[in-house]
Each structure stands twice: as C-alpha cells, then as structure tokens.
Amino acid sequence: MLSLMTESRSQRAARRAGEFPPAPEPLPRPVLDSHTHLDITVSEVGVPGAADAADPVAAAIEVAAAVGVDRLVQVGVDVDSSRWGAEVADRHPAVLATVALHPNEAPRLADLDAALREIEALAARDRVRGIGETGMDHYRTGDEGRAAQEESFRAHIAIAKRYGKTLVIHDREAHDEVLRILDDEGAPDTVVMHCFSGDAQFAAECVRRGFLLSFAGTVTFASAASLREAAALTPLDQILVETDAPYLTPTPYRGRPNASYLIPLTVRALAATIGADLDDLCAAISATGERAFGPWH
C-alpha cells in the first residue's frame, strides 16, 4: 500500500482529481480482489459510477461484481482501518477483512504494544481472515525505524500463527530482510506476498517456501519486465491478483483512481504474460483465494 501517510500532497491531489476509468469487459469466471482499501477509496476518491450512493461500500461491491469480481479482501493498516474493515466484513457477505499495523505505521506509534493488543483482539473475529499488511519497508522508513518495524512484524507473525490466519506481507525494498524474519520465526501455513515487487530470483525463493504471490496493476507497467518474469515462473496455484485500490491502477489508466472493478485488466495482462488460458487462470485465482481467505459465505 502506498498509503495516505506516505503519499505526497501532489499525488493525493492528482488521484482525487482523476476520473475512474470505464468498466472493462467482464471476466469469464468470477475472481477476487485479494487486497483493497475500501475505506480510503470511499472516503478519499468516491465510488465509480455511484458518487451519491447511500451505501458507498455496497455500491463499490456491486460495480465490481458486474465485471466478475465478486469477492473482496479489505486490508487494515492501523487500528482504526482494521476495526473499520472488520465491521464492514460483518455487514457485507462479499467482503472479508485483514487487520494489522502497516510497517510504516509501527515506528510512529507511542505505544506499539497497546496497538498490537488491539490488532490481536480483532484477529479473533470470524470474518477477519488475515493478519496484514505487515512486513518491512526500507523505502519509506529509515534505519531509525527498522527496529520497531521488525518488532511489529514478528508480533504479527505470532498473531497469525496463534489464530490460524493468513499472513499478508508488505515488502518494499526489503526482500532479504522479510525472508530472514519469516525463516527465523517460522512462517504461518499461508503467506501472501502482497503487491509482489521482486524479480524472478526472489519469486523462486517465495515459491519454494510455498508462499502465494499477489500481482497488482504494476505487472502491466511497461517498466515492469522483471515482475513479468517473476509471474511467468510462479505456479498457477500460487497466484493471486489485487488492486491495492485506490492505488496502482493498471495500464492504460495508470495515474487514475483504482477500484476492484478494474481487476479484469490485470487478470488479462497476467494471462498473456504467463501464457495461461484466461478461464483456467480465473478458476485458479478463485480457488487460491478461497484456500487463503475463504469461504466468504
């Protein structure tokens, strides 16, 4: 997640000023958006095609379902967003939640332990199916914050294992560190590498460990050849797709607001990249999503 706490003022202004792209052609089989931030989308950007909706979350779900994206995973980045996501998942059958303190949030907290206790309390809820996004970020957080990041990451790993939840990893320019800590602590049964950003070598290490690699709109960017190489060597049953909405809008709409209904653009680009039949890829993504987070209903 780019995150409001790290996004520049000019980036926020550009995203708010942008219009949502048109709806893509529906997928032949339903899939999930494995990582979205509905709270930010509805509060900061709005809802595509439903600006005046009485229930913006329901409107966003409806727009996504119309193109074959029938399940969403709402991801927490701090105590407030985690609590919000857990409550939304209780109200909307199409939504499941994850809860966590974002790696860039941990060093800013006056009382990390108290915040972690709040996250653990939310982790016990039935429709909270993941712990994340947690991990390490060497891009936004300097050396002075790394100890707090690592402490938080290790605590989240422990929570995921205690409650049998999927661990959702934020890894930005910290590949070796993330693997070191996961190997040291012992990874939970299911680990999702959110918005996978590594090369083929790192992908191979993750695949070997049984992790799931979730690809965002970045896989469609012209500059992302190494990311497409990573996708090409990932087994079909270890692939997920995500928006990280409202960020990382896929080509050809990069720079405009993102939302779950744009997942078909990423899925089609991914199918072309890895040489997979679109129907087979959709079926695999759906099954892997249910294995990681489901059942939704």
Side-chain angles (χ1 to χ4, degrees):
M1 177 193 175
L2 183 58
S3 164
L4 287 178
M5 58 192 171
T6 56
E7 188 183 20
S8 72
R9 184 177 300 172
S10 61
Q11 286 173 314
R12 285 199 298 273
R15 177 168 51 74
R16 287 169 175 165
E19 294 181 0
F20 279 103
E25 181 183 352
L27 291 168
R29 284 175 178 258
V31 300
L32 71 149
D33 181 353
S34 75
H35 191 115
T36 188
H37 300 281
L38 281 167
D39 53 328
I40 300 172
T41 302
V42 300
S43 66
E44 296 289 335
V45 185
V47 177
D52 299 321
D55 183 345
V57 172
I61 292 168
E62 182 178 356
V63 170
V67 295
V69 184
D70 65 345
R71 286 151 291 163
L72 315 178
V73 180
Q74 161 63 22
V75 175
V77 296
D78 54 24
V79 171
D80 287 345
S81 64
S82 294
R83 187 179 295 114
W84 186 92
E87 292 169 354
V88 164
D90 282 343
R91 294 197 305 271
H92 294 279
V95 179
L96 293 175
T98 75
V99 299
L101 309 174
H102 190 281
N104 292 325
E105 175 76 2
R108 297 181 170 92
L109 293 171
D111 192 339
L112 178 59
D113 288 342
L116 286 167
R117 287 194 295 273
E118 295 265 15
I119 295 301
E120 180 153 11
L122 291 167
R125 296 171 68 153
D126 175 64
R127 292 187 65 79
V128 171
R129 302 290 176 81
I131 305 302
E133 56 188 281
T134 181
M136 300 293 291
D137 189 317
H138 287 185
Y139 180 76
R140 294 288 179 184
T141 296
D143 292 343
E144 71 286 350
R146 301 269 171 84
Q149 277 196 352
E150 182 166 339
E151 178 186 354
S152 179
F153 186 22
R154 289 180 184 273
H156 282 80
I157 294 170
I159 292 169
K161 291 162 74 172
R162 274 197 295 276
Y163 290 88
K165 309 283 181 167
T166 289
L167 185 70
V168 179
I169 301 290
H170 171 103
D171 162 30
R172 192 164 188 189
E173 297 185 7
H175 305 329
D176 292 343
E177 200 79 345
V178 165
L179 292 183
R180 176 184 66 80
I181 294 168
L182 284 169
D183 290 347
D184 187 33
E185 292 290 328
D189 290 341
T190 307
V191 173
V192 176
M193 302 300 291
H194 142 62
C195 190
F196 185 81
S197 60
D199 58 12
Q201 182 178 355
F202 183 57
E205 288 296 322
C206 293
V207 166
R208 182 175 64 82
R209 289 168 170 82
F211 300 165
L212 307 180
L213 278 56
S214 184
F215 293 94
T218 45
V219 78
T220 72
F221 295 175
S223 59
S226 62
L227 191 55
R228 288 186 284 276
E229 291 173 4
L233 64 78
T234 305
L236 216 57
D237 63 355
Q238 287 179 254
I239 289 176
L240 287 171
V241 291
E242 64 174 86
T243 55
D244 200 23
Y247 315 106
L248 305 181
T249 310
T251 302
Y253 303 110
R254 186 176 181 182
R256 291 168 70 174
N258 200 6
S260 296
Y261 78 100
L262 294 174
I263 278 281
L265 297 174
T266 301
V267 174
R268 285 190 166 88
L270 196 55
T273 293
I274 67 178
D277 175 79
L278 180 60
D279 196 78
D280 290 344
L281 178 59
C282 289
I285 289 169
S286 185
T288 300
E290 293 281 334
R291 191 171 78 246
F293 299 107
W296 261 253
H297 307 299

